[in-house]
Amino acid sequence: MPVIAPMPVPRAARMPVQRQGSDEAMAAGTTVDHLTETYRAHYRSLLGLAALLLDDTASCEDVVQEAFIRVHSARNRVRDPEKTLAYLRQTVVNLSRSALRRRILGLKLLSKPMPDMASAEEGAYDQLERDALIKAMKGLQRRQREVLVLRYFADMTEAQVAETLGISLGSVKAYGSRGIAALRVSMGASA
Protein backbone atom coordinates (compact mmCIF):
# COMPACT_ATOMS: atom_id res chain seq x y z
CA MET A 1 0.00 0.00 0.00
CA PRO A 2 1.59 3.32 -1.01
CA VAL A 3 2.23 5.89 1.66
CA ILE A 4 1.07 9.42 0.90
CA ALA A 5 3.35 11.99 2.46
CA PRO A 6 3.07 15.75 2.61
CA MET A 7 5.03 17.59 -0.03
CA PRO A 8 8.65 17.78 1.17
CA VAL A 9 10.23 21.21 1.32
CA PRO A 10 13.41 21.39 -0.78
CA ARG A 11 16.53 21.63 1.35
CA ALA A 12 17.51 25.01 -0.12
CA ALA A 13 14.17 26.49 0.89
CA ARG A 14 14.50 25.58 4.55
CA MET A 15 14.24 28.46 6.90
CA PRO A 16 17.19 29.09 9.19
CA VAL A 17 16.47 29.05 12.87
CA GLN A 18 16.02 32.61 13.98
CA ARG A 19 18.06 33.58 16.98
CA GLN A 20 16.56 36.71 18.39
CA GLY A 21 17.01 37.79 21.93
CA SER A 22 17.09 34.67 24.09
CA ASP A 23 14.23 35.93 26.27
CA GLU A 24 12.04 36.56 23.23
CA ALA A 25 12.76 33.11 21.74
CA MET A 26 12.03 31.41 25.07
CA ALA A 27 8.67 33.15 25.40
CA ALA A 28 7.55 32.51 21.82
CA GLY A 29 8.35 28.79 21.58
CA THR A 30 8.65 27.20 18.15
CA THR A 31 6.89 28.90 15.25
CA VAL A 32 4.17 27.32 13.15
CA ASP A 33 6.36 27.60 10.06
CA HIS A 34 9.29 25.87 11.75
CA LEU A 35 7.05 23.10 13.09
CA THR A 36 5.42 22.57 9.69
CA GLU A 37 8.80 22.52 7.97
CA THR A 38 10.16 20.01 10.47
CA TYR A 39 7.08 17.84 10.05
CA ARG A 40 7.34 17.84 6.26
CA ALA A 41 11.07 17.19 6.26
CA HIS A 42 10.85 14.28 8.72
CA TYR A 43 7.43 12.84 7.87
CA ARG A 44 8.81 9.60 6.43
CA SER A 45 11.15 9.01 9.35
CA LEU A 46 8.31 9.65 11.81
CA LEU A 47 6.14 7.25 9.82
CA GLY A 48 8.94 4.68 9.96
CA LEU A 49 9.19 5.13 13.72
CA ALA A 50 5.47 4.51 14.09
CA ALA A 51 5.72 1.49 11.76
CA LEU A 52 8.27 -0.08 14.10
CA LEU A 53 5.73 0.11 16.92
CA LEU A 54 2.46 -0.48 15.06
CA ASP A 55 1.54 -2.95 12.35
CA ASP A 56 -0.67 -1.21 9.81
CA THR A 57 -0.02 1.82 7.63
CA ALA A 58 -3.29 3.58 8.39
CA SER A 59 -2.62 3.54 12.13
CA CYS A 60 0.92 4.79 11.56
CA GLU A 61 -0.31 7.70 9.45
CA ASP A 62 -2.97 8.53 12.04
CA VAL A 63 -0.40 8.52 14.84
CA VAL A 64 2.02 10.76 12.95
CA GLN A 65 -0.70 13.24 12.03
CA GLU A 66 -2.03 13.26 15.59
CA ALA A 67 1.51 13.89 16.85
CA PHE A 68 1.76 16.94 14.60
CA ILE A 69 -1.57 18.25 15.86
CA ARG A 70 -0.60 17.76 19.50
CA VAL A 71 2.82 19.36 19.15
CA HIS A 72 1.22 22.19 17.16
CA SER A 73 -1.25 22.90 19.94
CA ALA A 74 1.55 22.82 22.55
CA ARG A 75 4.21 24.56 20.45
CA ASN A 76 4.64 27.33 23.01
CA ARG A 77 6.12 24.74 25.38
CA VAL A 78 8.83 23.82 22.87
CA ARG A 79 11.31 26.38 24.13
CA ASP A 80 14.16 25.43 21.84
CA PRO A 81 13.08 25.23 18.17
CA GLU A 82 15.85 22.70 17.53
CA LYS A 83 14.06 20.26 19.82
CA THR A 84 10.90 20.31 17.70
CA LEU A 85 11.83 17.03 16.02
CA ALA A 86 12.50 15.42 19.40
CA TYR A 87 9.06 16.49 20.60
CA LEU A 88 7.47 15.07 17.45
CA ARG A 89 9.33 11.76 17.86
CA GLN A 90 8.41 11.44 21.52
CA THR A 91 4.77 12.22 20.75
CA VAL A 92 4.74 9.55 18.00
CA VAL A 93 6.14 7.00 20.47
CA ASN A 94 3.62 7.93 23.16
CA LEU A 95 0.66 7.83 20.75
CA SER A 96 1.84 4.47 19.38
CA ARG A 97 1.98 3.08 22.91
CA SER A 98 -1.53 4.34 23.58
CA ALA A 99 -2.79 2.74 20.36
CA LEU A 100 -1.20 -0.57 21.34
CA ARG A 101 -2.75 -0.39 24.82
CA ARG A 102 -6.19 0.19 23.29
CA ARG A 103 -5.70 -2.77 20.96
CA ILE A 104 -4.57 -5.06 23.76
CA LEU A 105 -7.50 -4.02 25.91
CA GLY A 106 -9.85 -4.62 22.98
CA LEU A 107 -8.39 -8.08 22.38
CA LYS A 108 -8.73 -8.97 26.05
CA LEU A 109 -12.37 -7.93 26.03
CA LEU A 110 -13.09 -9.77 22.78
CA SER A 111 -11.34 -12.98 23.83
CA LYS A 112 -13.69 -13.48 26.78
CA PRO A 113 -17.03 -14.79 25.55
CA MET A 114 -20.03 -13.17 27.07
CA PRO A 115 -21.66 -15.49 29.63
CA ASP A 116 -25.00 -15.56 27.84
CA MET A 117 -23.59 -15.47 24.31
CA ALA A 118 -24.75 -18.39 22.20
CA SER A 119 -22.21 -20.42 20.28
CA ALA A 120 -22.39 -20.70 16.52
CA GLU A 121 -23.88 -24.18 16.82
CA GLU A 122 -26.60 -22.92 19.14
CA GLY A 123 -27.35 -20.07 16.75
CA ALA A 124 -27.69 -22.50 13.84
CA TYR A 125 -29.90 -24.78 15.93
CA ASP A 126 -32.08 -21.82 16.94
CA GLN A 127 -32.43 -20.83 13.30
CA LEU A 128 -33.53 -24.36 12.39
CA GLU A 129 -36.10 -24.31 15.20
CA ARG A 130 -37.40 -20.93 14.04
CA ASP A 131 -37.70 -22.22 10.49
CA ALA A 132 -39.59 -25.29 11.70
CA LEU A 133 -41.88 -23.12 13.83
CA ILE A 134 -42.63 -20.79 10.92
CA LYS A 135 -43.39 -23.78 8.68
CA ALA A 136 -45.67 -25.26 11.36
CA MET A 137 -47.40 -21.89 11.87
CA LYS A 138 -48.12 -21.69 8.14
CA GLY A 139 -49.85 -25.07 8.41
CA LEU A 140 -52.37 -23.78 10.99
CA GLN A 141 -55.82 -22.43 10.22
CA ARG A 142 -55.87 -18.67 9.66
CA ARG A 143 -57.68 -17.84 12.93
CA GLN A 144 -55.45 -20.16 14.99
CA ARG A 145 -52.35 -18.53 13.51
CA GLU A 146 -53.73 -15.01 14.16
CA VAL A 147 -54.61 -15.81 17.78
CA LEU A 148 -51.21 -17.38 18.52
CA VAL A 149 -49.26 -14.58 16.87
CA LEU A 150 -51.16 -11.86 18.71
CA ARG A 151 -51.17 -13.74 22.02
CA TYR A 152 -47.56 -14.95 22.17
CA PHE A 153 -45.53 -12.87 19.72
CA ALA A 154 -47.32 -9.53 20.17
CA ASP A 155 -47.72 -10.31 23.90
CA MET A 156 -51.40 -9.35 24.05
CA THR A 157 -53.86 -10.54 26.65
CA GLU A 158 -56.73 -12.78 25.59
CA ALA A 159 -59.13 -9.86 25.94
CA GLN A 160 -56.94 -7.65 23.70
CA VAL A 161 -56.76 -10.43 21.09
CA ALA A 162 -60.55 -10.82 21.18
CA GLU A 163 -61.02 -7.10 20.71
CA THR A 164 -58.42 -6.88 17.92
CA LEU A 165 -59.87 -9.80 15.94
CA GLY A 166 -63.50 -8.96 16.73
CA ILE A 167 -64.27 -12.39 18.20
CA SER A 168 -65.40 -13.57 21.64
CA LEU A 169 -63.05 -14.35 24.51
CA GLY A 170 -64.15 -18.00 24.38
CA SER A 171 -63.24 -18.19 20.67
CA VAL A 172 -59.76 -16.80 21.44
CA LYS A 173 -59.24 -19.51 24.06
CA ALA A 174 -60.53 -22.23 21.74
CA TYR A 175 -58.44 -21.13 18.72
CA GLY A 176 -55.38 -20.73 20.95
CA SER A 177 -55.78 -24.16 22.53
CA ARG A 178 -56.33 -25.91 19.19
CA GLY A 179 -53.47 -24.00 17.59
CA ILE A 180 -50.98 -24.99 20.30
CA ALA A 181 -52.11 -28.63 20.06
CA ALA A 182 -51.63 -28.56 16.29
CA LEU A 183 -48.17 -26.98 16.69
CA ARG A 184 -47.14 -29.70 19.17
CA VAL A 185 -48.18 -32.40 16.72
CA SER A 186 -46.50 -30.66 13.78
CA MET A 187 -43.27 -29.85 15.64
CA GLY A 188 -43.13 -33.32 17.21
CA ALA A 189 -43.52 -34.97 13.82
CA SER A 190 -40.73 -32.92 12.27
CA ALA A 191 -38.26 -33.58 15.11
Side-chain angles (χ1 to χ4, degrees):
M1 178 182 310
V3 176
I4 300 172
M7 291 293 294
V9 176
R11 291 201 183 267
R14 289 192 179 176
M15 298 173 55
V17 176
Q18 297 176 355
R19 295 279 180 185
Q20 300 166 342
S22 62
D23 293 336
E24 235 177 78
M26 290 294 221
T30 189
T31 64
V32 174
D33 292 336
H34 179 71
L35 176 61
T36 304
E37 174 195 339
T38 304
Y39 174 73
R40 284 183 180 164
H42 296 281
Y43 178 81
R44 290 206 184 272
S45 68
L46 293 169
L47 195 61
L49 176 63
L52 292 172
L53 300 169
L54 299 170
D55 55 354
D56 63 304
T57 306
S59 295
C60 295
E61 290 173 346
D62 289 345
V63 162
V64 172
Q65 290 171 6
E66 181 66 23
F68 174 74
I69 291 168
R70 291 205 183 174
V71 172
H72 182 275
S73 65
R75 67 186 179 282
N76 291 336
R77 290 188 284 170
V78 183
R79 303 269 188 234
D80 185 2
E82 292 185 14
K83 292 186 179 177
T84 304
L85 180 58
Y87 275 90
L88 280 169
R89 284 184 182 143
Q90 188 60 49
T91 306
V92 166
V93 169
N94 290 342
L95 290 172
S96 297
R97 286 178 183 160
S98 294
L100 288 173
R101 276 193 295 270
R102 282 191 302 275
R103 284 184 191 172
I104 289 169
L105 181 62
L107 289 174
K108 284 181 181 177
L109 293 176
L110 286 177
S111 65
K112 295 179 184 174
M114 299 302 283
D116 57 348
M117 184 182 291
S119 68
E121 293 85 11
E122 290 175 23
Y125 185 72
D126 289 346
Q127 182 64 41
L128 289 173
E129 282 185 337
R130 264 192 304 277
D131 292 345
L133 177 62
I134 290 170
K135 184 178 177 183
M137 289 288 287
K138 288 180 180 178
L140 295 178
Q141 294 176 5
R142 182 179 58 89
R143 280 287 187 198
Q144 290 174 347
R145 184 173 51 247
E146 290 171 351
V147 167
L148 292 179
V149 167
L150 292 175
R151 180 75 177 102
Y152 296 104
F153 293 102
D155 203 27
M156 292 182 168
T157 64
E158 290 175 337
Q160 291 170 328
V161 173
E163 185 180 331
T164 301
L165 295 178
I167 57 177
S168 69
L169 186 60
S171 296
V172 169
K173 290 179 181 181
Y175 284 126
S177 176
R178 290 184 201 129
I180 288 175
L183 279 178
R184 283 190 182 130
V185 169
S186 178
M187 298 290 288
S190 66

